[in-house]
Amino acid sequence: MSRTIELDKYRNIGIIAHIDAGKTTTTERILFYSGSLHKMGEVHEGTAFMDYMDQERERGITITSAATTCYWHGHQINIIDTPGHVDFTAEVQRSLRVLDGAIAVFCAVAGVEPQSETVWRQADQFGVPRIVYINKMDRIGADFEKAVESVREILGANPTPIFIPVGSADEFVGIIDLITMKYLHFNGEDQNLNNFEIREIPESMIGKADQARSFMIESIAETNDNLLEKYFGGEVITEDELIASIREAVIASKFLPVCCGSSFKNKGVQQVLDSITRYLPSPIDRGIVKGFDPQDSEKAIERKPSSDEPFSALAFKVLTDVYVGRLTFIRIYSGMLKVGDMIYNASIGKRERVQKILRMQANKRDELTSCEAGEIVALPGLKLTKTGDTLCHQDNQVLFEKISFLEPVINQSIEAKSTADQAKMLDALARLADEDPTFQFNNDQDSGQNIISGVGELHLDIMVDRLKREFGVATRVGKPQVAYRETILGSSVCEVEFDKQIGNKNQYAKVSVSLRSSDSGQGNQVLLGENLPKLAPQLLEALQTSAKESLSVGPIAGYPIVDITVEITDVGIREGETTDIACKVAVANAVREAIGLAKPTLLEPVFAVEAIAPMEYIGEVIADINSRRGKIEEITQKGSSQGVRASVPLSEMFGYVTKLRSMTQGRGSYTMIFSHYEPTTLKQY
């Protein structure tokens, strides 16, 4: 099947923002105006096409990133609508890993909000070019200039309007296109495709428009020498030159264009679509994708965004679909893929067959016979492929960098209400953990309980709800518990000798280890000393494996040990008596004793919290945060409200939403995201 739309007209984009900034509503309008939807859905009515899960429709929030495709002026736009709630940032992270561009949506009233910062930093991490869309210009208190300024101040970006609004709130009647210098007057909330008239700029706005256009041209000219010469030479700069220069600068992440409108009132969405096709990069613009040889991590391998290259793709999301089972979403970086092809998972060294290729439209799907470089598609039936795995041809292998995710920081016990449902529950939990890398479950050996772990209370609440609705498993859950960690504050050395008769054979090994703490967040390392005697490979493997396993249970409260470097400095052996079992026991005992000598301590997860409340309640909010062992870091002005930024231990934040609403008569709100682990000051755990 030959490509119907050329690769330079593909746009793989994401919609990113804080919760309730209008991402899903914007996507709904994009689909409607591009002809993919015949009727607009509304988030507040639970009819949004992109929010297809029951939990999303009930809560009015996006939980899982939904993929869809639309077409605009000869371009194919593959869109991923991402969640805005902090508990689901993993969905944003894995989506941004494979996208070429993004629309960052901000509320014209609130400006940059806490979760906006998180997703913005994630986009920075992956080098994703962006366009800013100031939404909700129809709301009371909307302030376009203030919202743009918040992007500049809080995010450290350099936003430049390419459209400016005419009026705000109830008087928001149109926008001025600074490229064409025309006024687009909207006909009320009309849903028609041409719901605006092109007029001359009103006299009252000419001065403001001229000033904004000069600023825009100056900002672009700073990124383009040819344009700079023409600008200072007083030459006329054409519309085509402006568009081409903006596109070049956006792709290089040197220019941040700003659009404005009201998605809910159907104003400004077509202009956002125009900006997507004009300014955001195609797969060709994003250029070569770099990986390495699976057999030699030092050997770099490049893949060009072309269908003539060998096939390569990254699996960025796994989803359990009610109708087609396990779906693996992939971004194809190079080559072609056909139904029936055998593909090679370079991450695990296994082969799988492509049974079907689906282009997803939220929870609906179109079946394809083949697909090419630049596409985002879903493959049903892949049993072994997980999030972050690289798929390629076995004869032309490449391995792309994996996706890293937040560690779970909150635990909850769970059990099926009936014994008959126990096996069904474990199977369902395994499928949910396969789908979501930030969700884990295990069986606690001491208590015999099944423990689920996630990144927040809402995260676990959604998972328990999905168990009931999607898998038909009724459960009982315990209260959420903090996932503590253990580490050491000092260093130590220890030597242990293991000499014991097991069966008819004597087992012997003498192991010396040295322990020291690593930098926070670096994880655990097991090193082999330079002066070790020559050992058989199976003995070396036994020593390293056992040392790592010894760090899974700490001496204080049995939590995993983190940020420790273990160095095996010496191994004493006896000919014919030193076995892998003896090495395992000796090194495990040595590590455990050394930990006890190195000042072990308990670590607790600390969250970055921002509470927002009217000024008259801010004193109570600060006092309450202090009572929760919080450290106040900053107080900021948020319109008529104030925001308090603080670091607070997770153990003190359970039930905070109820207390905050009580203190502020329901007018307060807050966000929290995991920041770091630090030694706890608590005496009881």
Side-chain angles (χ1 to χ4, degrees), residues 504-515:
N504 297 322
K505 187 176 180 181
N506 199 55
Q507 308 267 357
Y508 177 84
K510 185 163 73 170
V511 177
S512 299
V513 298
S514 168
L515 258 66

Side-chain angles (χ1 to χ4, degrees), residues 633-644:
E633 294 170 352
E634 187 182 15
I635 299 173
T636 56
Q637 197 67 34
K638 300 275 185 178
S640 60
S641 299
Q642 284 187 313
V644 180

Side-chain angles (χ1 to χ4, degrees), residues 249-454:
V250 168
I251 291 169
S253 295
K254 293 179 179 177
F255 186 80
L256 186 62
V258 180
C259 307
C260 60
S262 166
S263 297
F264 181 56
K265 296 292 178 68
N266 314 313
K267 298 176 179 179
V269 178
Q270 297 97 312
Q271 287 68 46
V272 171
L273 272 164
D274 287 337
S275 298
I276 290 169
T277 57
R278 282 178 176 177
Y279 308 126
L280 288 180
S282 71
I284 292 174
D285 296 315
R286 290 288 274 170
I288 290 169
V289 183
K290 296 180 180 179
F292 56 89
D293 190 325
Q295 276 74 48
D296 181 5
S297 60
E298 299 297 316
K299 183 180 176 184
I301 295 177
E302 295 181 343
R303 287 283 186 265
K304 294 177 185 173
S306 166
S307 300
D308 298 327
E309 288 270 300
F311 168 73
S312 68
L314 185 74
F316 68 94
K317 178 180 170 71
V318 174
L319 181 68
T320 302
D321 188 276
V322 178
Y323 301 103
V324 295
R326 192 176 187 268
L327 278 174
T328 305
F329 285 78
I330 67 168
R331 160 68 192 266
I332 303 176
Y333 286 114
S334 63
M336 289 186 65
L337 187 65
K338 297 185 182 121
V339 172
D341 282 354
M342 289 295 294
I343 53 178
Y344 184 72
N345 187 325
S347 302
I348 58 173
K350 300 286 185 183
R351 296 201 309 163
E352 299 205 64
R353 185 175 294 280
V354 178
Q355 299 170 9
K356 285 182 180 178
I357 301 172
L358 305 175
R359 178 174 290 142
M360 299 302 292
Q361 304 284 1
N363 65 335
K364 296 179 170 55
R365 58 201 71 79
D366 300 327
E367 203 164 321
L368 308 175
T369 56
S370 67
C371 52
E372 302 181 46
E375 288 272 20
I376 292 176
V377 294
L379 306 180
L382 300 187
K383 295 183 174 63
L384 305 172
T385 302
K386 296 185 178 295
T387 298
D389 286 356
T390 302
L391 301 173
C392 57
H393 280 311
Q394 192 166 2
D395 297 336
N396 287 283
Q397 294 182 25
V398 64
L399 194 60
F400 297 128
E401 187 181 344
K402 292 184 81 72
I403 310 170
S404 57
F405 296 101
L406 291 172
E407 285 289 315
V409 292
I410 187 167
N411 299 333
Q412 204 168 19
S413 64
I414 188 169
E415 63 179 30
K417 283 190 175 178
S418 67
T419 309
D421 277 347
Q422 184 69 15
K424 194 176 174 184
M425 181 190 78
L426 293 175
D427 177 63
L429 287 173
R431 289 166 73 178
L432 290 173
D434 183 39
E435 212 179 280
D436 185 348
T438 61
F439 174 74
Q440 297 174 6
F441 78 98
N442 61 73
N443 184 268
D444 187 297
Q445 298 299 320
D446 295 330
S447 66
Q449 290 180 311
N450 290 305
I451 306 295
I452 56 175
S453 307

Side-chain angles (χ1 to χ4, degrees), residues 532-570:
L532 284 183
K534 192 170 182 180
L535 299 172
Q538 69 266 25
L539 295 182
L540 286 172
E541 187 180 346
L543 286 165
Q544 289 180 292
T545 303
S546 183
K548 285 177 183 173
E549 290 173 350
S550 303
L551 302 176
S552 60
V553 178
I556 299 174
Y559 291 105
I561 302 170
V562 296
D563 301 331
I564 285 185
T565 298
V566 178
E567 185 177 355
I568 302 170
T569 55
D570 194 18

